Amino acid sequence: LRFKQQGATTSIFIVGAIGVWGTVRGSVPVGGANMTESVQILQALIAVVGVGLYVVAASLAEREEAERSLEVAHGTLAESLQREREAVARLREIDEAKSTFLSALSHDLRGPLAAIIGFAQALKKRDRLTSDRVEDMVDRIERNAFRSAKILTDLLDVDRLARGAVEASRTSTDVSDVVVQTVNNLSIDD
């Protein structure tokens, strides 16, 4: 039975009215020496019942308030859990992007370093190379060293971008020029 203070008051009034009516008729088993004493005993009984009903009503009201608070806390907890799941998903995406970036970076650094190492090893065998060929290899080593330095500078720029120290600017690039330049940097003519 869910009733609040209003329901408890109504119940007390109904029980009191029935009790008074029964006492006046003499049909209630609350007996006293006379009618006044019987009414006083009935009033005491109604008071005890009334206090009990008010206690029950107050307990039920507190329980409803606790249930509402629990629902709010559950909603807040569910929202927090959802935000945490979204944060974990974003962190996974960031970690994947970092891995992709590091993979691309190592690939981009490997190309110029392979050319530098290849030309340096070829230069060790100078006795079979013409002076023009030696000069070409030194030029290529220099270009690939600059290219490696540019990649490292770009890496530092990415770090500055991530920290908000600089703003990105876009430029167009001719892919065919990049391919020709890469082929020229890596080719070794005999």
Side-chain angles (χ1 to χ4, degrees), residues 124-141:
K124 284 183 181 179
K125 303 173 186 170
R126 274 187 204 204
D127 53 337
R128 290 189 260 159
L129 301 174
T130 65
S131 64
D132 288 339
R133 184 67 184 134
V134 168
E135 187 177 331
D136 178 57
M137 288 182 165
V138 169
D139 288 342
R140 289 182 188 209
I141 288 173

Side-chain angles (χ1 to χ4, degrees), residues 141-160:
I141 288 173
E142 183 180 40
R143 276 195 312 268
N144 281 294
F146 282 126
R147 185 170 159 223
S148 295
K150 180 170 179 359
I151 291 170
L152 291 174
T153 300
D154 290 347
L155 177 62
L156 293 173
D157 288 343
V158 167
D159 178 56
R160 282 186 234 134

